[in-house]
Amino acid sequence: MKKIIVLAMALSLTATAISCKKGAGKMGNTVLNLGGEAEANSVIDFNNNFVDSYKNTSRQIESILKYTEEAVVKSKGGNVLIMPIITSSMDYTLSKIKEVPSGFGKDKAAIEADFNTYKTRKENIEKKFEELKSYMNSEDYKDDKGAKAEAIKKEIETDADALYTAGENVIAKIKPATDAAEEVVLKDHPMKEYIISSKNIMNSLDSVIELLGKQYAGKFNEAEAQKKYDEFARLVEANSKMDFNVKGQQYAYKKTQFENFNKAAANFVDHYRKLIRDSKEAGKIPDNDIQQMDSSYESVLNSYNSFVK
């Protein structure tokens, strides 16, 4: 079965995207040990499973970090009405990764090192979180006035920082081989033109999110925002006009997924247009608009990943 790359959700409004590059096929066969489709698929499988794990783990850790903040406040006598409820979740995608594929070539050892750090820090956080929950549920903080809660909070924050660093390193290091692997897989893929066109939208979308993230933290620049809008809207319009005509019954359902992706992208265009108008009036990007864009981004991303899987 041919494997296609899925993309990672934007973290802190900075996207991690993987794009096709000219000449990647040659690079894949000579430098990255991609001798054929089987090796390419193993590289893409690793990418997809790690991306899913990193995305879900990041969400979980953000929730845990919020819990630690509330735990410190409550344990020191502060007013906390209800402690955040965080349900444990099994990381099935991480469990699918048995090893780092040889297709990553000379970067394999470095990827393994960061991947092992990622797993270790993830386990540390989970164990420390369970320890903190037990401490809070038993109200042991009444004995030490919250000292342990504060200590565990710092430990989890340290592990979280290390996990994010390792995760970003893995994604950056697997990118060249994953690009090359997709070039191998897409060579004769029936949906090649639709996948490449849709990925161009995702690359443009990442650029939009990066720009808005910077302007949200700084000053709104209408001209820059409008330029990115025009580029993105043009790609979305062109993609929406493509007639999905792929032979083979096994691809029939992909037409609906392709259309859903285009609808999600068009909705992002609408929200983006509203953001420009609101930001121009306010002189800065309003919180509600940036939150809407982040939510809309995730919708486009999920639609894309469903289409290419």
Side-chain angles (χ1 to χ4, degrees), residues 63-78:
S63 298
I64 289 174
L65 289 172
K66 291 178 181 178
Y67 181 94
T68 64
E69 293 175 357
E70 295 296 292
V72 169
V73 172
K74 183 174 181 177
S75 65
K76 290 184 173 297

Side-chain angles (χ1 to χ4, degrees), residues 9 14 23 82 102 135-136 148 153 158 193 242 255 307:
M9 185 183 71
T14 301
I82 301 176
S102 60
Y135 170 82
M136 296 301 297
K148 186 174 181 178
K153 176 178 180 290
T158 298
E193 63 176 313
M242 293 181 70
K255 179 177 182 179
F307 170 56

Side-chain angles (χ1 to χ4, degrees), residues 59-128:
R59 286 173 173 167
Q60 185 79 355
I61 290 176
E62 288 304 311
S63 298
I64 289 174
L65 289 172
K66 291 178 181 178
Y67 181 94
T68 64
E69 293 175 357
E70 295 296 292
V72 169
V73 172
K74 183 174 181 177
S75 65
K76 290 184 173 297
N79 184 25
V80 177
L81 294 177
I82 301 176
M83 287 294 292
I85 298 175
I86 303 174
T87 57
S88 59
S89 59
M90 179 66 181
D91 194 344
Y92 294 104
T93 51
L94 185 62
S95 65
K96 292 179 181 179
I97 301 176
K98 306 304 179 184
E99 62 181 356
V100 176
S102 60
F104 289 114
K106 62 182 178 61
D107 289 327
K108 182 176 184 292
I111 293 170
E112 284 179 335
D114 282 315
F115 180 59
N116 289 332
T117 296
Y118 171 83
K119 290 192 296 183
T120 298
R121 297 293 185 162
K122 176 178 165 63
E123 292 173 0
N124 288 350
I125 292 171
E126 291 168 350
K127 290 177 181 178
K128 287 296 179 181

Side-chain angles (χ1 to χ4, degrees), residues 192-308:
K192 179 178 180 178
E193 63 176 313
Y194 306 101
I195 292 172
I196 291 177
S197 178
S198 298
K199 180 169 274 190
N200 287 338
I201 289 178
M202 296 306 298
N203 290 336
S204 177
L205 182 59
D206 289 335
S207 180
V208 168
I209 291 294
E210 182 178 3
L211 174 69
L212 295 182
K214 291 178 180 178
Q215 292 195 1
Y216 176 67
K219 184 179 180 181
F220 177 68
N221 185 315
E222 182 185 359
E224 288 183 350
Q226 185 65 49
K227 182 179 179 181
K228 289 291 184 183
Y229 171 88
D230 292 340
E231 293 172 355
F232 181 73
R234 176 177 53 79
L235 290 172
V236 172
E237 182 180 7
N239 210 55
S240 298
K241 290 181 178 179
M242 293 181 70
D243 180 23
F244 190 86
N245 184 20
V246 180
K247 295 181 179 179
Q249 187 61 35
Q250 68 269 37
Y251 297 107
Y253 73 102
K254 287 295 180 181
K255 179 177 182 179
T256 299
Q257 293 181 340
F258 181 66
E259 292 171 349
N260 288 339
F261 168 69
N262 286 326
K263 288 178 183 177
N267 285 335
F268 187 93
V269 171
D270 292 341
H271 293 310
Y272 193 178
R273 193 162 57 251
K274 179 179 180 297
L275 178 142
I276 292 176
R277 184 185 302 109
D278 293 347
S279 301
K280 181 179 179 181
E281 294 175 357
K284 63 178 182 178
I285 299 179
D287 292 343
N288 290 340
D289 283 294
I290 203 69
Q291 291 170 5
Q292 180 62 66
M293 296 299 281
D294 197 29
S295 175
S296 185
Y297 172 93
E298 186 173 352
S299 178
V300 178
L301 177 67
N302 290 337
S303 296
Y304 172 83
N305 285 341
S306 294
F307 170 56
V308 300

Side-chain angles (χ1 to χ4, degrees), residues 46-60:
F46 180 90
N47 174 87
N48 291 353
N49 288 327
F50 183 77
V51 162
D52 279 343
S53 173
Y54 188 39
K55 178 173 65 174
N56 295 328
T57 296
S58 297
R59 286 173 173 167
Q60 185 79 355

